[in-house]
Amino acid sequence: MRIKIIAPFKGATSSGLYGAPSKENPSGEIPIGMEIDVEKEPTDWVGRYEVVSGSTEGKEPILNNSAYAVEAKGGGYYVVTKDGEPVTKGLRKDDLDGFDTLSEEDRAAFVELHKKEA
């Protein structure tokens, strides 16, 4: 899931989130506007971030009118197709759990992440 750090109140231009300082980030600050990838929603940061992609909560699933479909490839592998053409490398069934509940935008992001090599 990808999140974006937002201001604590409208009009704030500083006051990001602070964490442990590191070699790459000596101040430990995660500035407003920065996007980061997280395993799950950091609910203790409520009001300080917005979900950019990866969460299906509150979204309507696209069930029958999607350009994307999952098809068995054989040998326990599956591929995602777009308009009948394979667009991902071979994936195991577990890798595709929940794909059918994603929004069209999140499906496109998933395909980009797992696109087949040219």
Side-chain angles (χ1 to χ4, degrees), residues 30-92:
I30 304 171
I32 292 172
M34 183 173 194
E35 292 185 9
I36 56 175
D37 293 312
V38 295
E39 295 274 326
K40 61 181 184 169
E41 283 196 52
T43 54
D44 52 333
W45 291 355
V46 68
R48 296 302 312 273
Y49 70 94
E50 61 187 22
V51 177
V52 177
S53 68
S55 175
T56 59
E57 189 173 328
K59 294 182 182 174
E60 285 294 317
I62 307 292
L63 300 176
N64 295 325
N65 58 349
S66 176
Y68 296 102
V70 176
E71 293 183 14
K73 185 176 174 183
Y77 284 92
Y78 296 82
V79 294
V80 175
T81 62
K82 182 174 183 181
D83 300 324
E85 295 295 323
V87 291
T88 64
K89 61 186 176 186
L91 300 163
R92 294 288 186 185

